[in-house]
């Protein structure tokens, strides 16, 4: 049984005849102690405060029967670990080639490749950001104000709390209806279509951080923690 905050993704599961429903990870409508195992992949790093991240793990543990296990994956601050680059960084060259094929002139796509400091349009405000930057042991830069940096895709992280651009591509009707347009440079009256860009919040985890959060709960024990291709991972057991 699967659940997701996105109704569209849940609808896709239904079309494939899988059992899934819409819910919030902080409040899953399943009876306590009814699951042999749970997985949470690439979810918890989207919660913007330490309290909400802890509450999500506590909710995951609530679902487990005694002796049940949970697997959690979150994005790692360390995209180079033990002198090995993650798959995310290794795909940078392939990503550049695809962008070059789809966009012949970088001047025509002002939202695509901005770095952290290029525009106020690439910044968002978070009331709780400073509360989440207590641990800078993994090399994250201290933040002087509440503005979140915008990450440059396929590069190393320089902050634990950031926005990651999501470039919507494809030919669905919904996408086409929301596509942005702009005049082509050089005075041409033709319009150049731009794929919409959405900025998603991430809190990338430092080494030991996820394990420490899980260990703060009395109802579970950490059976295993490990690094896997740019992610920190734990396996929990319900006590």
């Amino acid at each position: 049984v699967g659940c997701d905050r996105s109704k569209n993704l849940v609808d896709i599961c239904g079309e494939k005849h899988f059992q899934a429903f819409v819910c919030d990870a902080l409040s899953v409508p399943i009876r306590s102690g009814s699951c042999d195992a749970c997985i949470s992949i690439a979810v918890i790093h989207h919660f913007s405060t330490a309290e909400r991240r802890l509450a999500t793990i506590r909710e995951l543990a609530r679902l487990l029967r005694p002796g049940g296990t949970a697997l959690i994956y979150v994005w790692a601050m360390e995209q180079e670990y033990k002198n090995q680059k993650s798959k995310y960084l290794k795909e940078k060259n392939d990503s550049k080639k695809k962008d070059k094929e789809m966009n012949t002139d970088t001047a025509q796509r002002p939202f695509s490749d901005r770095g952290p400091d290029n525009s106020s349009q690439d910044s968002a405000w978070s009331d709780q950001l400073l509360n989440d930057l207590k641990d800078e042991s993994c090399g994250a830069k201290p933040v002087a104000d509440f503005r979140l940096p915008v990450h440059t895709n396929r590069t190393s992280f320089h902050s634990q709390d950031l926005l990651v651009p999501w470039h919507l591509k494809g030919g669905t009707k919904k996408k086409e209806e929301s596509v942005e347009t702009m005049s082509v440079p050089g005075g041409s009256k033709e319009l150049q279509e731009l794929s919409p860009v959405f900025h998603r919040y991430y809190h990338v985890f430092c080494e030991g951080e996820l394990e420490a959060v899980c260990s703060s709960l009395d109802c579970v024990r950490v059976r295993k923690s490990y690094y896997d291709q740019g992610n920190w991972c734990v396996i929990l057991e319900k006590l």
Side-chain angles (χ1 to χ4, degrees), residues 3-68:
C3 59
D4 199 279
R5 186 66 182 262
S6 167
K7 181 181 181 299
N8 289 341
L9 292 178
V10 170
D11 287 344
I12 292 172
C13 292
E15 292 169 2
K16 296 179 179 292
H17 307 293
F18 294 124
Q19 297 185 71
F21 56 89
V22 176
C23 79
D24 192 309
L26 290 168
S27 182
V28 180
I30 293 179
R31 178 169 49 85
S32 299
S34 60
C35 298
D36 296 316
C38 296
I39 62 172
S40 174
I41 308 296
V43 173
I44 295 173
H45 55 216
H46 287 299
F47 286 94
S48 62
T49 68
E51 291 77 14
R52 288 167 66 83
R53 293 189 287 271
L54 176 61
T56 308
I57 298 172
R58 183 183 292 112
E59 179 70 356
L60 197 67
R62 179 189 67 79
L63 304 175
L64 294 172
R65 64 164 175 79

Side-chain angles (χ1 to χ4, degrees), residues 120 123-126 129 143 145-149 161:
S120 60
S123 296
W125 297 89
S126 169
L129 177 59
V143 175
D145 59 27
F146 289 102
R147 281 178 292 184
L148 290 174
D161 294 84

Side-chain angles (χ1 to χ4, degrees), residues 71-74 210 224-228 231-235:
L71 172 65
I72 300 173
Y73 265 59
V74 295
L210 177 61
K224 184 180 180 181
S225 61
Y226 57 97
Y227 180 89
D228 181 23
N231 299 281
W232 288 114
C233 323
V234 297
I235 297 176

Side-chain angles (χ1 to χ4, degrees), residues 3 20 23-24 28 33 60 73 87 103 142 148 178-179 182 195 197 200 220 223 235:
C3 59
C23 79
D24 192 309
V28 180
L60 197 67
Y73 265 59
K87 184 179 179 181
N103 304 281
L148 290 174
S178 62
V179 76
M182 65 171 289
S195 297
V197 178
R200 300 188 298 170
V220 295
R223 273 183 24 187
I235 297 176

